Amino acid sequence: MIRTHVLICGGTGCTSSNSLKIQEAMNKELVAHGLENEVKVVLTGCFGLCALGPIMIVYPEGTFYSQVKPEDAAEIVEEHFLKGRPVERLVYHEVNDKDIHHATSLSETAFYKKQKRVALRNCGVIDPENIDEYIAMDGYQALGKVLTEMTPDEVIQTVLDSGLRGRGGGGFPTGLKWKFASGNRGNVKKYVACNADEGDPGAFMDRSILEGDPHALIEAMAIAGYAIGADEGYVYVRAEYPIAIHRLEIAINQARKYGLLGKDIFGTGFNFDIELRFGAGAFVCGEETALMTSIEGHRGEPRPRPPFPAVKGLFGQPTVLNNVETYANIPQIILKGVEWFTSMGTEKSKGTKVFALGGKITNTGLVEVPMGTTLREVIEEIGGGIPNGKTFKAAQTGGPSGGCIPASLIDTPIDYDNLIAIGSMMGSGGLIVMDEDTCMVDLARFFLDFTVDESCGKCTPCRVGTKRLLEILDKIIAGNGEMEDLDRLEELSNYIKSASLCGLGQTAPNPVLSTLRYFRDEYIAHIVDKKCPAGVCKSLLQYTIDPDKCKGCTLCARKCPVNAISGTVKQPHVIDPAKCIKCGACMESCKFKAIYKK
């Protein structure tokens, strides 16, 4: 009889840190100690707290082990499972307000206290490769309910009343999209499609749902198919997501075997099946019409709208397209009701939102919070604040399509309308935190360089305009900027936004415009003072040795790869700026902190 369950994170992050080897080592040790029939090891999806991975949770007691290694397996089995005492050195200890370290269960950590997991409800809880575990968590009950108790119009009205908006970035009302595609049921071929082509740098929300709870997507797509009158669905997923693809394939086959996909589902006469299509990593294929063009076997380029996909989408037929996170909310809305869902969030942004929290933050990982949670709560309480005593400078939301939120707006409630009002956007959910050492001009250049590479080139404003923007930023960063360049950046950005064909071009200038709006002084410093306030832009840096601090140890001279440092033993050294390549090796090696950059 199983008395203990050991849940090990099997998400991409922990897998890259050998969680599969931890599972293998645990099973081996359990067999060696005759415990294989008493202790079950389960590989789950992402727990969320990626900064502490690989994570292992032991139930029923809920012991939270962090940063586990394969070689720890023997000690855990011997100490915890045989002797009944947790391995203290691996137990996660949180520091409270009185600086007292105490063992903390996963749900009691500051990281989780303010979270509300809806889309991520099963991630880190069930075995994603076992359909029975999904069913045990009320899986496929929502599908059974709509097929046996609700009309298609009642399903659409429920989604409309819930206020659910698209979690892929645009924030369009999901129920309204379904309603537009619902006409002529049974007389017109229709499709349901899922956008799992998550392309924002640092974003991994959809991937984690696919890895940890793939049946939620399958169930939701079948519900959407019933609502609009479609019998066929496509999941467009990035080929760079091998674990997600593997588990999704397993889940689809299991659902077919159980009669939950295919012909005559639940004996109601409803037919629905799903196929996978793999994306080749083109960021533009996150745009709905480019994605559909790619599914059809063509080069992923956007199409003019109207007509919109709900009227003319895949193969020229009415199509509903939502992203993974949007679909993941559907079964819970059907089962728990509209009032439950609308009790979370704000007036115009209902429910929760999943964010991939990264950058200069203590607790990197995946968080799900009610809409309206402030940026301060996410960064300081859930994220654990900025490490190394640095100060918070800005947060980037929406990836390359979003904008930068300055520290002065840290108390902004996060929802669709508030973010747009301050020059950013929700996007798919990437949230990159920056500290005082971040150059905002360089950051704008980083995101713009990405969109220049990812532009499909179909329309001139995006293809040429973003390249011109990048050239101006390169000029400023190199120390050759002019004040007139700031006006050129704004004028060109507004033209690109208004004239580009699709969302990639229409939002590409957002990082430039938001940094100009909130960090204009940094642009001016680059242009007028020829200095980078954050000390990032190499062309504007100069490394100097303080003669009062230099002890003449010669270490910096020995580390310099271009022999730019000269001096004798026990005498202050000097750096030749003409030779210096500004690599920073001297500053890193100096034990007396005598070298600084300005």
Side-chain angles (χ1 to χ4, degrees), residues 551-554 566-573:
K551 306 300 181 183
C553 70
T554 75
S566 59
T568 57
V569 178
K570 297 185 179 181
Q571 295 297 319
H573 284 47

Side-chain angles (χ1 to χ4, degrees), residues 202 204 355-361 363-365 396 430-434:
F204 52 97
F355 291 98
L357 189 60
K360 304 296 183 65
I361 190 78
N363 296 329
T364 56
Q396 166 84 6
L431 204 166
I432 309 298
V433 180
M434 291 155 280

